Amino acid sequence: HMRKSPLHYRYAVDAGPDPSLAQKLAMFRAVHTLVLEPFQFTEEYVVYDGRRDKRTKAYQQFLSEHMGKTVLNVAEHEQALAIAEAVTDHSWVSELLCDDNTETEVPMVWDDLIAGPCKGKADILHWSQEKGLIVADLKTFNTTDGKQIARIGSQNGWPLQFAHYL
């Protein structure tokens, strides 16, 4: 928000998290979980086959039965499964994720000389003599166009985030 202006940043801080944005991003978080921590998926997500309308008794009851879980509709769930399968079907990724020297969701804490105390979480961290150091961050896009992905990554500062972790 600060990249736009100080007023955008201030509004975002004062307004707090946007609950509708969290729901929009739920499918992307589900992909992340399916690829990196598939054993936790059923603990964190649930699928609702119907209209997610908090005014209906059926949906209210469903929410009360699945408190704390993120609710996906059938289409979001199917899309998340398809994307996760495409990622894990890639030979390099599947080999890396199965390697004993690979860890996922690795918390990192360090002191930077300029920024001070820092923390982050590496989606994939691998070290071996054979492959060297691999630090990877899983991002989900609505396109496979490399130029668009580079533009989106640049706008979101992901190269800086990655360099910061290294």
Side-chain angles (χ1 to χ4, degrees):
H1 297 289
M2 188 60 141
R3 284 188 196 140
K4 289 182 182 178
S5 76
L7 283 174
H8 283 90
Y9 173 77
R10 183 66 200 190
Y11 175 79
V13 169
D14 291 344
D18 179 3
S20 66
L21 178 62
Q23 185 56 50
K24 289 175 191 172
L25 297 176
M27 191 275 301
F28 298 114
R29 285 185 286 114
V31 169
H32 199 269
T33 303
L34 285 165
V35 171
L36 301 173
E37 300 175 306
F39 48 88
Q40 286 189 322
F41 186 80
T42 56
E43 308 241 343
E44 296 178 18
Y45 296 89
V46 66
V47 180
Y48 185 71
D49 186 15
R51 204 171 113 221
R52 293 181 295 201
D53 185 346
K54 290 184 180 178
R55 297 171 294 179
T56 64
K57 288 183 182 179
Y59 190 57
Q60 286 177 6
Q61 181 178 346
F62 182 84
L63 289 176
S64 68
E65 292 170 2
H66 301 283
M67 280 219 177
K69 292 188 178 186
T70 300
V71 180
L72 301 173
N73 65 30
V74 173
E76 290 167 335
H77 182 237
E78 288 174 358
Q79 186 177 14
L81 287 170
I83 294 170
E85 183 179 351
V87 172
T88 56
D89 278 353
H90 188 283
S91 59
W92 183 84
V93 174
S94 63
E95 181 183 317
L96 186 65
L97 288 173
C98 291
D99 193 304
D100 289 339
N101 296 310
T102 300
E103 296 180 66
T104 60
E105 297 292 338
V106 179
M108 300 179 298
V109 179
W110 68 97
D111 285 320
D112 184 83
L113 293 175
I114 297 170
C118 299
K119 65 180 180 176
K121 192 181 274 190
D123 290 343
I124 299 172
L125 183 63
H126 172 92
W127 165 251
S128 67
Q129 287 289 75
E130 175 187 323
K131 295 177 183 163
L133 176 65
I134 298 172
V135 180
D137 195 35
L138 179 65
K139 300 293 186 194
T140 306
F141 293 91
N142 60 358
T143 180
T144 57
D145 181 330
K147 289 181 181 177
Q148 279 189 296
I149 291 171
R151 184 176 48 77
I152 293 166
S154 178
Q155 286 173 343
N156 289 306
W158 291 334
L160 295 174
Q161 173 190 3
F162 186 71
H164 188 62
Y165 287 169
L166 288 177

